[in-house]
Amino acid sequence: MNKIQTKIKSFLSKFFGNHDLQPDEDIFALGFVNSMFAMQLVLFIEQEFQVAIENEDLDFENFRTINSIANLVERKTTVIMHK
């Protein structure tokens, strides 16, 4: 796991109790996600990685797994670095 994935897993594990969340495991399918959690997740990503999550980013596919969240963060930070 890279640094981004590790930070995301650490944040998510606070909500998933003893479950050892895997990088490709679907957090929606596990039943842990509700609208309040989704808002907390977006806020965490914005604050932790200094990126802005836009309306077009709010797609379930971007938040389904640790890997998909990390990919979103990497895309957003790459855009920032190239501006």
Side-chain angles (χ1 to χ4, degrees):
M1 258 198 238
N2 69 27
K3 198 179 200 176
I4 293 172
Q5 291 167 314
T6 303
K7 286 182 178 183
I8 294 165
K9 181 174 181 173
S10 175
F11 173 78
L12 292 175
S13 66
K14 294 182 219 171
F15 299 91
F16 286 65
N18 293 329
H19 182 80
D20 182 22
L21 188 63
Q22 298 305 303
D24 281 323
E25 203 165 7
D26 187 329
I27 63 174
F28 296 102
L30 293 172
F32 288 105
V33 179
N34 59 33
S35 57
M36 188 62 147
F37 171 78
M39 286 176 21
Q40 287 178 292
L41 179 57
V42 169
L43 280 173
F44 163 77
I45 293 166
E46 289 184 324
Q47 292 169 353
E48 182 70 33
F49 302 105
Q50 301 296 300
V51 297
I53 302 299
E54 311 292 341
N55 283 342
E56 62 266 18
D57 300 321
L58 296 175
D59 180 341
F60 283 124
E61 293 307 315
N62 287 330
F63 298 93
R64 198 169 289 284
T65 67
I66 290 173
N67 285 341
S68 61
I69 298 167
N71 289 337
L72 172 65
V73 169
E74 287 165 3
R75 285 195 309 273
K76 300 297 275 181
T77 53
T78 302
V79 168
I80 292 168
M81 290 178 191
H82 288 93
K83 281 189 175 178

